[in-house]
Amino acid sequence: MADSFLTKIINGAKNADAAVHEAAEILKSGEVCALPTETVYGLAANAYDEKAVSKIFEAKGRPQDNPLICHISNLSMLEEIAADIPSCAYKLAEKFWSGPLSMVFKKTDKIPERVSGGLDTVAVRMPDNSLIKSVISECGFPLAAPSANVSGRPSPTCAEDVYFDLNGKIPLIIDGGECKVGVESTVIDVTGSVPVILRPGEITADMIANITGSVKIHEGLKDVKETPPSPGMKYRHYSPNTRIITYAGEKNAVAKTIMSRYYLYKDKAAVICGSEIRDLFKGVRVIDLGESKKSAQQKLFAALRLTDRLSLKEAFFCYEDYMGEAVLNRITKASAEIIVV
Ligand code: TXA
Ligand code: MG
């Protein structure tokens, strides 16, 4: 990159007003800024300013045709950027906004093609984090923001992870501490008669169906689950440099299989698993994801990033059903191999 920035980090917990003001000024001047949300950190720019939005793609190395989510702070912003808003979307917004749900609508002319990746739709969400919401309100425009990682890497769930990926490429990071959800928002398409889930997240199909009566899951998602992807698969994503191998099945059989492979790598390997089975891995480096779906989601990306920080060759991820759809979707994409024991 020709221009390189000295990336500044401001602690949003210590002085929220100053942090919000500085972020808003940067964004109003047509620059990008990394901001915390409850899911993962986002790399934000003025959604109405194509030039500013281009800087997001440049900093991340993001493919041009991958559309961005627009972040809003009130429903009148939604009505500015989305057309033909169905009544079910208002119901979902009432229940889940502010929160980890993105809805895809027909877009208005206010949204440039740069944001929609050439589609005639736009994804919108109202994040549940007071810092980014105040920044959006002070700016007065929606913020286009993908996850603030270099494209292909795990999403960042703390300011240090953003810095690691984007230091020297962006002017400012607002540090809002660790993200409480840890996986990106559920994305649903509400342009048809029945909402369709495009990306699983903390808001599940059942939670959506409770409000809308029905919901579909996109065929592409079912494929990923039913036909485990092969090595070098097209969908590889969220990946550290460490080779991630995911195991599923009866826990003792999984542990036995992993242990036999672990010793090929010794100090260059780790097991990533839930607390309840960590004792099956004696004398082994374990990265613990806790014992609930919530903690597995929250710790997932940090665990993947830790494997790189430790310069590991391989990490063995033990998937268990309680971890849920959102974790399964991310780990499937991050893994070089999936082995059902
Ligand atoms: O939680 C989140 O959603 C985070 C935080 C920062 O808000 N953002 C995020 O953005 O994960 P990103 O760009 O990493 O992922 C956005 C996803 C992509 O899979 C993209 O293809 C999809 O949403 N998407 C965006 N606009 C879309 C549209 N108009 N139609 C279909 N999919 C869309
Ligand atoms: Mg992303």
Side-chain angles (χ1 to χ4, degrees):
M1 194 173 150
D3 308 320
S4 107
F5 296 98
L6 268 182
T7 301
K8 179 172 171 183
I9 305 184
I10 304 181
N11 185 328
K14 265 199 190 143
N15 195 345
D17 288 349
V20 165
H21 184 65
E22 192 157 340
E25 287 305 307
I26 286 255
L27 289 160
K28 284 187 211 166
S29 78
E31 275 306 330
V32 298
C33 171
L35 295 167
T37 84
E38 79 283 26
T39 57
V40 301
Y41 276 69
L43 181 59
N46 178 354
Y48 296 153
D49 179 347
E50 285 203 67
K51 220 169 141 196
V53 171
S54 303
K55 295 178 185 173
I56 295 178
F57 285 85
E58 197 179 331
K60 279 182 60 92
R62 183 177 174 102
Q64 307 288 337
D65 61 351
N66 197 357
L68 306 178
I69 295 173
C70 291
H71 296 68
I72 58 171
S73 58
N74 59 54
L75 285 183
S76 56
M77 270 188 190
L78 170 68
E79 286 155 4
E80 223 170 271
I81 61 180
D84 307 335
I85 302 170
S87 59
C88 76
Y90 284 106
K91 287 189 206 151
L92 289 167
E94 198 182 328
K95 177 76 182 169
F96 298 118
W97 281 359
S98 307
L101 179 70
S102 297
M103 290 190 263
V104 174
F105 302 94
K106 285 266 173 271
K107 75 175 191 74
T108 66
D109 291 343
K110 291 274 251 176
I111 292 297
E113 290 214 342
R114 203 84 188 78
V115 170
S116 65
L119 301 173
D120 61 357
T121 53
V122 62
V124 186
R125 90 177 185 97
M126 194 185 289
D128 182 24
N129 174 290
S130 59
L131 288 166
I132 187 171
K133 272 174 91 173
S134 302
V135 173
I136 301 167
S137 299
E138 189 164 329
C139 286
F141 45 73
L143 296 178
S147 49
N149 50 282
V150 162
S151 227
R153 301 242 319 131
S155 295
T157 52
C158 63
E160 293 75 17
D161 291 349
V162 179
Y163 189 80
F164 184 88
D165 276 20
L166 298 177
N167 177 29
K169 296 181 178 165
I170 61 172
L172 181 63
I173 300 168
I174 303 299
D175 184 351
E178 270 185 29
C179 300
K180 62 178 201 258
V181 176
V183 289
E184 308 86 344
S185 61
T186 305
V187 179
I188 59 167
D189 183 341
V190 292
T191 59
S193 52
V194 176
V196 181
I197 298 187
L198 305 180
R199 179 175 70 182
E202 183 166 77
I203 311 289
T204 61
D206 287 347
M207 291 159 80
I208 292 165
N210 271 339
I211 307 295
T212 60
S214 55
V215 67
K216 285 187 195 155
I217 296 175
H218 193 275
E219 288 301 317
L221 288 180
K222 291 184 198 156
D223 280 348
V224 168
K225 195 180 165 191
E226 281 162 20
T227 324
S230 51
M233 64 197 195
K234 175 171 161 229
Y235 296 110
R236 194 152 175 226
H237 202 44
Y238 306 114
S239 298
N241 296 321
T242 302
R243 216 172 116 81
I244 305 294
I245 306 176
T246 291
Y247 290 81
E250 196 278 315
K251 60 184 183 188
N252 291 296
V254 164
K256 206 172 150 202
T257 314
I258 290 177
M259 289 304 264
S260 61
R261 185 147 175 171
Y262 185 91
Y263 286 105
L264 296 175
Y265 295 93
K266 294 203 176 90
D267 53 339
K268 289 287 170 206
V271 171
I272 306 173
C273 67
S275 304
E276 281 191 9
I277 63 168
R278 68 170 298 156
D279 288 347
L280 298 177
F281 300 99
K282 296 252 183 303
V284 159
R285 187 201 321 259
V286 170
I287 302 175
D288 192 330
L289 297 178
E291 53 194 25
S292 64
K293 172 175 159 179
K294 205 175 164 60
S295 74
Q297 285 180 172
Q298 207 243 336
K299 292 170 189 284
L300 173 69
F301 287 134
L304 295 181
R305 283 177 173 267
L306 179 59
T307 64
D308 270 352
R309 224 168 296 143
L310 297 169
S311 304
L312 303 181
K313 283 208 163 27
E314 295 214 341
F316 307 106
F317 187 98
C318 301
Y319 176 78
E320 295 180 81
D321 283 341
Y322 77 85
M323 294 175 179
E325 292 290 323
V327 168
L328 180 61
N329 170 268
R330 273 53 168 200
I331 199 64
T332 302
K333 293 184 179 189
S335 298
E337 253 183 272
I338 298 185
I339 297 171
V340 180
V341 179

